[in-house]
Amino acid sequence: MIRISHLMASACCLFLMTSVFSQDERKTHEEENSEAKEPIEEVVIETRHSIRIHGNLLDYTARAGTIVMREEEGKPKASIFYIAYSKQAVEDSSGRPITFCFNGGPGSSSVWLHLGAFGPKRVLMDKEGFPLPPPFLLVGNEYTLLDLTDLVFIDP
């Protein structure tokens, strides 16, 4: 069993090791890493699906992509990942509501809002509401909100 004191000692050693570098060495290291990074670009992948909700067939579009966040000068700074679902065959989409689902942060993404509650698919659970052992199965989510509102799941 790892003790807290061992973890603290390891963290202190790591901190001391990283603070040993001079400012010039750190800058050089950061410059080398920035040159090796991939350019930040917006990417969208779109697919079409159907689901049966309360006995009615609902056709929808799924989009997975990134939105680029830019500095004031327009230089790309970061990207945010999202998955969005929109109902197809809507006559006037300007009047259709959109629900944005955020959750957590590192270690607590919007996955359970997405695959456990509101998305068009959900993880199959046992009678008590616990996930079955792997491999996990996705099934149509008869409780999705997609029949009432388009959905956007954001994982910063």
Side-chain angles (χ1 to χ4, degrees):
M1 177 185 287
I2 297 177
R3 294 188 174 172
I4 298 295
S5 59
H6 292 145
L7 290 174
M8 292 299 290
S10 298
C12 288
C13 287
L14 182 61
F15 174 77
L16 290 173
M17 287 171 41
T18 58
S19 63
V20 168
F21 293 110
S22 71
Q23 188 66 26
D24 291 338
E25 289 173 330
R26 209 175 284 145
K27 185 175 181 182
T28 303
H29 182 68
E30 288 173 2
E31 289 172 354
E32 288 173 3
N33 283 343
S34 68
E35 292 173 10
K37 290 181 183 176
E38 296 284 327
I40 299 173
E41 297 177 2
E42 289 192 0
V43 177
V44 178
I45 296 175
E46 184 176 298
T47 57
R48 298 187 182 269
H49 308 271
S50 296
I51 185 174
R52 199 161 286 282
I53 302 173
H54 309 296
N56 299 316
L57 191 64
L58 184 139
D59 296 322
Y60 66 94
T61 301
R63 291 177 188 86
T66 55
I67 296 174
V68 174
M69 306 306 293
R70 300 181 183 278
E71 295 177 359
E72 288 182 25
E73 304 83 38
K75 179 181 172 189
K77 184 170 179 117
S79 65
I80 296 178
F81 178 75
Y82 69 90
I83 296 177
Y85 300 100
S86 55
K87 184 178 176 181
Q88 294 175 14
V90 173
E91 288 183 31
D92 182 13
S93 62
S94 67
R96 183 159 168 83
I98 300 173
T99 300
F100 293 91
C101 300
F102 297 87
N103 198 12
S108 183
S109 64
S110 66
V111 67
W112 288 114
L113 288 175
H114 187 177
L115 297 174
F118 302 131
K121 300 279 185 178
R122 65 177 174 82
V123 174
L124 184 63
M125 306 283 191
D126 66 16
K127 289 181 182 180
E128 287 79 36
F130 295 102
L132 298 171
F136 302 107
L137 298 175
L138 292 179
V139 296
N141 183 6
E142 63 274 18
Y143 305 110
T144 184
L145 300 177
L146 190 53
D147 58 335
L148 305 172
T149 178
D150 289 344
L151 300 166
V152 180
F153 295 89
I154 299 176
D155 282 313

